[in-house]
Amino acid sequence: MSEQWQPQASMATLRQRAQLLARTRAFFAELGVWEVDTPLLASAGVTDPYLNVMEVAYIPEAAGEARTLYLQTSPEYAMKRLLAAGSGPIYQLGKVFRNGERSPRHNPEFTLLEWYRPGFNDQQLMDEVAALWHALGGMEPPLRISYREAFERVLAIDPHEAPITQLQALARQHCGAEFADERRDTWLELLMSQVVEPGLAPLGAVFVYDFPATQAALARVVEDERGARVGKRFELYIRGLEVANGYWELTDAQEQRRRFQADLAVRAQLQRRLIPLDERLLAAMQAGLPDCAGVAVGFDRLLMLLSGKQEIAEVIPFALERC
């Protein structure tokens, strides 16, 4: 324990981190996108079945009952409330939390860059993400391929039409997956993370867009040119590392409530803790969320790529083991 007080990242890397923070803020200042600072604690958390939220007990010193609050996995909900209130284009650069996530690419506390552009669609926001990557020193100009094209390129199947039995067979072949699951997305997500994403690494930087409608999350859904229902969502992978997740945002409050409730049903099946719906977000959407696109970018991962580091602990002062 005698050396556990020392940072894991070198001082040179931490200086590079400071410079990257400054350049990121300068990028948005030049565009006229203003920085906001929303709470890390909230009365609700994300319902995503595969994200674990950190809970905090708020105990008032005076009379009153203790409350369960949630450390946010993203500032998205609070930022959308600002958008509905008329903020215009905004960004946030700060800490977020995801319980249980620790690996060479994950720390339970990490830095997220998130921004929203009223009047943009997903393709326009991809342009801006690419511009940020270039402004920060990224050399690879990102390619753009659809989710369908990514699967066709790596696995030679159409993920929107392949029967679940074929997806299961491919998962057994490539991932050794012998478990049973009737959810189509289970197999698509497994193949995406374990086979397709690594298969895209030789392309350098690549946007994957138009995910299956069942994976739309908070994105709007449309029909693509071949009649498949797709979520207007994109992810950016750089050298096989997922860096960004963006949406042409859903603005329908009733549909968003339906999706939240569907998430909770999956959480119940998985025997995971049920999270209260964010009624303030839904009220903001009902009042009128503007047509917009938004994206979340893993800031620590950007620094990993730009500094040539392999582990997140090498680019933050104190990872979980030393906090």
Side-chain angles (χ1 to χ4, degrees), residues 170-224:
L170 287 168
R172 286 193 294 271
Q173 175 186 344
H174 293 280
C175 313
E178 297 297 338
F179 59 89
D181 195 310
E182 297 306 313
R183 290 183 64 251
R184 181 182 179 81
D185 282 330
T186 297
W187 304 103
L188 286 174
E189 290 164 3
L190 180 63
L191 290 169
M192 183 68 182
S193 64
Q194 300 300 311
V195 185
V196 177
E197 287 179 21
L200 298 176
L203 299 179
V206 57
F207 287 109
V208 177
Y209 63 90
D210 285 0
F211 281 66
T214 49
Q215 298 177 31
L218 281 79
R220 64 185 64 195
V221 172
V222 302
E223 282 194 4
D224 70 5

Side-chain angles (χ1 to χ4, degrees), residues 104-323:
R105 296 180 172 189
H106 298 88
N107 196 62
E109 176 186 356
F110 62 100
T111 300
L112 195 68
L113 167 64
E114 189 152 337
W115 77 95
Y116 291 85
R117 281 296 217 156
F120 275 34
N121 61 28
D122 53 326
Q123 295 291 329
Q124 291 169 306
L125 193 56
M126 280 187 252
D127 290 340
E128 197 158 88
V129 175
L132 173 68
W133 169 240
H134 178 72
L136 296 181
M139 300 303 294
E140 308 98 319
L143 303 173
R144 299 187 192 192
I145 62 175
S146 71
Y147 185 92
R148 174 189 283 115
E149 291 169 331
F151 271 77
E152 288 176 340
R153 181 188 291 258
V154 178
L155 286 170
I157 62 165
D158 184 335
H160 301 295
E161 297 182 1
I164 191 170
T165 52
Q166 185 178 15
L167 300 178
Q168 292 168 331
L170 287 168
R172 286 193 294 271
Q173 175 186 344
H174 293 280
C175 313
E178 297 297 338
F179 59 89
D181 195 310
E182 297 306 313
R183 290 183 64 251
R184 181 182 179 81
D185 282 330
T186 297
W187 304 103
L188 286 174
E189 290 164 3
L190 180 63
L191 290 169
M192 183 68 182
S193 64
Q194 300 300 311
V195 185
V196 177
E197 287 179 21
L200 298 176
L203 299 179
V206 57
F207 287 109
V208 177
Y209 63 90
D210 285 0
F211 281 66
T214 49
Q215 298 177 31
L218 281 79
R220 64 185 64 195
V221 172
V222 302
E223 282 194 4
D224 70 5
E225 69 282 354
R226 287 162 61 175
R229 285 175 56 76
V230 297
K232 299 305 290 180
R233 170 186 165 198
F234 66 85
E235 293 188 352
L236 173 61
Y237 300 91
I238 302 177
R239 301 168 216 157
L241 182 63
E242 181 191 343
V243 174
N245 186 18
Y247 307 136
W248 188 3
E249 301 291 346
L250 177 68
T251 58
D252 184 329
Q254 290 185 334
E255 171 61 14
Q256 189 61 75
R257 181 181 293 277
R258 186 198 68 77
R259 293 189 193 178
F260 283 163
Q261 291 169 339
D263 284 346
L264 291 179
V266 175
R267 289 188 74 90
Q269 292 173 1
L270 297 173
Q271 299 183 327
R272 296 195 168 187
R273 185 181 295 275
L274 301 185
I275 306 298
L277 301 189
D278 193 325
E279 294 292 348
R280 292 185 176 93
L281 168 66
L282 293 169
M285 293 179 69
Q286 188 66 45
L289 182 66
D291 182 19
C292 63
V295 64
V297 177
F299 181 83
D300 307 303
R301 291 186 175 190
L302 280 182
L303 182 52
M304 286 171 63
L305 290 162
L306 292 168
S307 63
K309 305 301 183 185
Q310 300 302 309
E311 297 196 9
I312 195 170
E314 298 178 278
V315 299
I316 58 180
F318 304 105
L320 178 66
E321 296 75 18
R322 298 197 185 185
C323 66

Side-chain angles (χ1 to χ4, degrees), residues 3-168:
E3 296 183 355
Q4 292 296 300
W5 63 268
Q6 298 181 19
Q8 289 150 297
S10 69
M11 287 300 162
T13 301
L14 294 179
R15 281 193 292 271
Q16 185 179 2
R17 183 184 182 93
Q19 293 165 357
L20 199 65
L21 287 166
R23 286 158 60 190
T24 299
R25 289 188 163 98
F27 175 84
F28 287 107
E30 186 174 344
L31 292 175
V33 180
W34 57 290
E35 184 172 8
V36 298
D37 185 16
T38 62
L40 293 177
L41 285 174
S43 57
V46 294
T47 57
D48 187 312
Y50 302 104
L51 285 182
N52 292 317
V53 183
M54 290 189 183
E55 298 182 8
V56 176
Y58 169 67
I59 304 173
E61 291 185 359
E65 294 185 1
R67 294 175 58 197
T68 297
L69 299 175
Y70 300 89
L71 287 170
Q72 296 300 283
T73 60
S74 157
E76 178 171 4
Y77 294 178
M79 292 182 77
K80 284 182 173 176
R81 289 165 61 187
L82 292 176
L83 288 162
S87 67
I90 52 176
Y91 81 95
Q92 186 155 323
L93 182 55
K95 299 297 185 182
V96 293
F97 302 84
R98 297 187 183 180
N99 211 354
E101 295 194 1
R102 184 66 183 102
S103 76
R105 296 180 172 189
H106 298 88
N107 196 62
E109 176 186 356
F110 62 100
T111 300
L112 195 68
L113 167 64
E114 189 152 337
W115 77 95
Y116 291 85
R117 281 296 217 156
F120 275 34
N121 61 28
D122 53 326
Q123 295 291 329
Q124 291 169 306
L125 193 56
M126 280 187 252
D127 290 340
E128 197 158 88
V129 175
L132 173 68
W133 169 240
H134 178 72
L136 296 181
M139 300 303 294
E140 308 98 319
L143 303 173
R144 299 187 192 192
I145 62 175
S146 71
Y147 185 92
R148 174 189 283 115
E149 291 169 331
F151 271 77
E152 288 176 340
R153 181 188 291 258
V154 178
L155 286 170
I157 62 165
D158 184 335
H160 301 295
E161 297 182 1
I164 191 170
T165 52
Q166 185 178 15
L167 300 178
Q168 292 168 331

